[in-house]
Amino acid sequence: MSPNRAFHEAPLPLFTAAEPLHADDEAGLAAIPAGRLPSYLSDHRKRLRERFIQGGPEAMPDYELLELVLFRAIPRQDVKPLARLLITHFGDFNRVLSAPIQRLGKVQGVGPAVIQELKIVAAAAQRLARSRVMHRPVLTSWDALLDYCHTAMAHREIEQFRVLYLDRKNVLIADEEQARGTVDHVPVYPREIMRRALELSASALILVHNHPSGDPTPSQADISMTGRIAAAAEVMGITIHDHLIIGKSRELSFRAEGLL
C-alpha cells in the first residue's frame, strides 16, 4: 500500500442503516465523494453481513471476518485491502486480534480506532470463554477450560505463565497471570505461587503456559520448573492437577504425558 493511501477512522456501530460520508474522509484506494457510500461498497458490506448472519463465521475466510470488524473503525472506505494486509502480516484472524498494540500500530492504515476495535473483539472472546469456566468445577468441564486457555494464550507472541486456583470441590476460584517473559522463556517463582494459593485458600492448582513457537513440546526447563512447583505444593498439601502447555493448534498435558 503506498504511503499516500491512508485510512481515516471513526468508530461506528457494526450494523448501520446508512453510513454517511464526511468531506475530510479519504478512501484507501480512491477518494469517495461526499454523500452516501458508493453502491459497490454498500452492496459488498451488505453481502458480507448477510452471509455472516446466515452462515456464521465458518462461512467466511479470515480476511472477510476481519472486514466486518474493520467496518466499525473505518466506516466510509473499502477495508478489504487493509484486512488482507493484516492477515498477511500476522498470519490469521486470531493472530491479528492477539497482536501487540505496538506492532499493530506499525501497519500502514492502522490507527487508534482500528486497534480499539480489534482489542474489543479479543477481550469479548476471552471474557466469553472465561465465563464458561470461572466458578465451575473444572475437572468436569475440561473441554471448556482448554477452549479458554487457547483463546487467551495460543496466539500470544511472548510466553505467559498462568495459575488456575481451585477450591476443595475443584471449582475455579481464580485465574491469574503469574509472569510474562520473552518469546521462549518466562520466569516462574514457586514461592509466589504457593503464597497466593494460601491467600486464596486454594486446595489445587492447574499450571498453564504458552509456547509462541506453536509447538507445545516441553523443554527441560519446563519439566524442571514443574517439578519445583510440585515439590513446593506437596509440602503445603496442595494438589497439582496438571500443567498445560498451549501451542497454536494443540496443547500438551503433563499429566497425560506422565510428566507429573
Side-chain angles (χ1 to χ4, degrees), residues 9 62 65-73 82-83 86-87 90 92-101 103-105 107 109-126:
E9 308 165 332
D62 279 1
L65 193 60
L66 190 53
E67 279 189 75
L68 288 173
V69 178
L70 296 177
F71 287 171
R72 289 171 52 87
L82 180 57
L86 285 166
I87 297 296
F90 292 104
D92 59 33
F93 182 81
N94 293 321
R95 287 186 178 272
V96 172
L97 295 185
S98 303
I101 290 175
R103 286 195 63 198
L104 285 168
V107 177
V110 173
V114 166
I115 291 172
Q116 175 180 284
E117 293 302 327
L118 294 175
K119 292 309 176 184
I120 287 173
V121 174
Q126 286 194 34

Side-chain angles (χ1 to χ4, degrees), residues 138-152:
V138 168
L139 302 185
T140 57
S141 54
W142 195 250
D143 288 344
L145 176 67
L146 294 179
D147 286 344
Y148 167 59
C149 291
H150 277 278
T151 299

Side-chain angles (χ1 to χ4, degrees), residues 39-59:
S39 60
Y40 76 91
L41 279 183
S42 59
D43 290 348
H44 173 68
R45 293 186 175 205
K46 181 179 179 181
R47 285 194 300 270
L48 285 189
R49 288 163 172 159
E50 288 177 347
R51 196 185 326 150
F52 178 79
I53 293 298
Q54 294 171 5
E58 294 80 9

